């Protein structure tokens, strides 16, 4: 198993399939994009499946989340999912996407074995979407969400980041819309993910701000701690149920003590945390024909050194230099 010195056991693997993205969200990357990884540096489909197999068979991983960049840009994605679905034991599989390609791919991903999706959508207003993402693709995301629901990739979770002066007034409208369409809405505090280091702690919309806004229209009843488990989102029952809304307060109420994640970057590095500054290279071991046992050992050593927390709750937190698009959310 993947255990650290604080007794936490990682059972959830986040796999970044690419650092590329077809949006340019203001809180993620500059308008001109980033210096993408060279193709030889990226893990091949076979290498990804082999590493996931080691994680599932030998290290106790029970859930795999495919991320990016934008994972739907990975040409071999359905094949990767199908092969991972054939592992014993079979892990639960989900995917975090911006939703732009879902209308075209949702049914194929379901048929390959994907269980569900998380879709990022920050606004109901097309003009605000364009301001946030620098692209006119709002309708594509809405159609992608509908296709995911129709394909049975449920529960369809919608991830929303509120930004001051842009969409900070939309929380109640977004929740009403999510309820009407049977999506599970989760608000995420803005984190320092931008390569241009424009994040300001003082200007972010906090979990407290979000809940205050939602309570102007809805009655929220907190879910029990037992129901939350190791999930990052605190959840509230909306107007007595059955619908729920979540808030991931990564900055103001970090959930590091219950973290059960390990991360594999698009170029084959193990990260113990989204904001870790150290990595452990598995790609070199793979390409040096190391046996599975040696790769598993390297992974265990990496996780044993996991720190107590992300550091986001420290006002002096420094953003990592490595672009987050290659690490995955």
């Amino acid at each position: 198993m993947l255990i650290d010195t604080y007794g936490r056991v990682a059972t959830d693997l986040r796999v970044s399939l690419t650092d590329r993205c077809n949006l340019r969200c203001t809180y993620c990357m500059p308008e001109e994009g980033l210096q993408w990884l060279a193709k030889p540096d990226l893990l091949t489909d076979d290498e990804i499946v082999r590493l996931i197999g080691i994680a599932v068979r030998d290290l106790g991983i029970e859930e795999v989340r495919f991320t990016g960049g934008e994972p739907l840009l990975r040409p071999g994605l359905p094949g990767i999912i199908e092969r991972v679905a054939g592992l014993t034991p079979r892990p639960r599989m989900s995917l975090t996407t911006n939703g732009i390609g879902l209308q075209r791919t949702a049914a194929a991903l379901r048929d390959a074995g994907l269980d569900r999706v998380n879709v990022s959508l920050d606004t109901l207003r097309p003009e605000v979407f364009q301001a946030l993402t620098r692209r006119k693709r709002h309708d594509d995301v809405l159609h992608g969400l509908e296709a995911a629901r129709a394909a049975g990739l449920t529960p369809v979770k919608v991830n929303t980041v509120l930004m001051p002066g842009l969409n900070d007034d939309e929380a109640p409208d977004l929740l009403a819309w999510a309820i009407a369409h049977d999506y599970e809405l989760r608000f995420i505090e803005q984190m320092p993910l931008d390569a241009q280091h424009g994040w300001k702690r003082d200007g972010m919309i906090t979990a407290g701000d979000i809940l205050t806004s939602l309570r102007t229209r809805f009655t929220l009843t907190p879910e029990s701690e037992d129901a939350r488990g190791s999930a990052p989102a605190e959840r509230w029952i909306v107007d007595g149920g059955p619908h729920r809304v979540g808030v991931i307060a990564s900055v103001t109420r970090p959930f590091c003590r219950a973290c059960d994640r390990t991360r594999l970057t698009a170029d084959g590095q193990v990260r113990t945390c989204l904001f870790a500054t150290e990595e452990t290279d598995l790609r070199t071991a793979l390409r040096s024909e190391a046996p599975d046992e040696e790769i598993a050992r390297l992974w265990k050593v990496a996780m044993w050194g996991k720190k107590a927390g992300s550091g986001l709750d420290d006002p002096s937190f420094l953003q990592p230099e490595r672009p987050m698009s290659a690490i995955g959310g």
Side-chain angles (χ1 to χ4, degrees):
M1 68 174 61
L2 293 171
I3 189 170
D4 64 32
T5 55
Y6 299 92
R8 297 170 297 194
V9 177
T11 57
D12 184 335
L13 170 61
R14 305 297 170 99
V15 181
S16 174
L17 297 177
T18 179
D19 59 332
R20 297 175 184 266
C21 189
N22 43 13
L23 296 180
R24 296 292 181 269
C25 296
T26 57
Y27 53 78
C28 186
M29 67 174 72
E31 186 170 6
E32 65 274 14
L34 298 167
Q35 182 66 46
W36 308 123
L37 292 167
K39 188 173 181 179
D41 293 335
L42 293 169
L43 293 176
T44 67
D45 293 0
D46 287 344
E47 289 170 337
I48 289 170
V49 173
R50 183 183 173 195
L51 287 175
I52 295 174
I54 292 169
V56 169
R57 288 190 305 266
D58 303 331
L59 298 173
I61 291 298
E62 299 171 356
E63 181 164 355
V64 177
R65 171 83 60 84
F66 296 105
T67 70
E70 173 46 52
L72 295 183
L73 295 179
R74 178 88 186 199
L77 176 59
I80 292 171
I81 291 171
E82 185 173 17
R83 292 168 67 184
V84 173
L87 295 174
T88 302
R90 182 200 188 280
R92 298 184 299 275
M93 285 185 291
S94 58
L95 179 140
T96 295
T97 172
N98 62 30
I100 287 176
L102 266 182
Q103 185 178 21
R104 174 176 47 86
T105 59
L109 296 176
R110 175 207 59 207
D111 292 344
L114 189 69
D115 295 308
R116 65 169 193 83
V117 294
N118 287 12
V119 179
S120 299
L121 180 64
D122 300 324
T123 179
L124 300 176
R125 306 167 185 162
E127 69 278 8
V128 176
F129 182 90
Q130 184 176 351
L132 281 166
T133 68
R134 305 182 177 105
R135 298 291 186 271
K136 292 183 178 181
R137 306 298 298 271
H138 191 254
D139 281 347
D140 293 330
V141 179
L142 296 181
H143 293 322
L145 279 161
E146 294 166 2
R149 185 184 59 202
L153 295 172
T154 56
V156 176
K157 296 184 179 181
V158 177
N159 294 339
T160 296
V161 176
L162 297 181
M163 301 284 288
L166 284 171
N167 61 341
D168 52 343
D169 61 337
E170 285 196 66
D173 289 341
L174 281 159
L175 181 52
W177 166 82
I179 289 172
H181 290 82
D182 201 24
Y183 304 140
E184 183 175 322
L185 182 63
R186 307 191 311 172
F187 292 96
I188 304 175
E189 287 184 337
Q190 184 197 3
M191 294 180 284
L193 301 178
D194 56 322
Q196 63 270 36
H197 291 192
W199 179 77
K200 297 276 191 303
R201 180 184 299 269
D202 292 344
M204 61 173 283
I205 308 300
T206 68
D209 297 331
I210 295 164
L211 293 170
T212 297
S213 180
L214 292 176
R215 286 181 172 124
T216 63
R217 196 181 304 179
F218 302 96
T219 299
L220 303 181
T221 306
E223 205 172 47
S224 69
E225 285 295 319
D226 290 341
R228 180 183 183 184
S230 60
E234 297 178 74
R235 297 202 306 176
W236 282 262
I237 301 166
V238 181
D239 290 343
H243 297 285
R244 286 164 170 75
V245 63
V247 179
I248 300 178
S250 303
V251 178
T252 61
R253 296 203 287 268
F255 45 89
C256 300
R257 284 183 296 178
C259 181
D260 64 350
R261 298 178 186 179
T262 183
R263 297 175 181 275
L264 184 64
T265 69
D267 55 351
Q269 312 298 307
V270 168
R271 280 222 166 191
T272 60
C273 174
L274 186 60
F275 297 98
T277 55
E278 305 86 15
E279 297 176 333
T280 298
D281 182 11
L282 298 187
R283 186 187 64 197
T284 297
L286 276 175
R287 296 179 181 178
S288 301
E289 300 184 358
D292 289 0
E293 293 79 10
E294 173 61 13
I295 293 170
R297 185 192 68 81
L298 291 171
W299 209 327
K300 288 179 181 179
V301 170
M303 293 305 295
W304 184 251
K306 184 173 183 173
K307 295 181 179 179
S310 66
L312 282 176
D313 52 344
D314 182 351
S316 64
F317 174 80
L318 296 176
Q319 294 154 276
E321 293 300 320
R322 181 164 160 82
M324 287 296 171
S325 57
I327 299 168

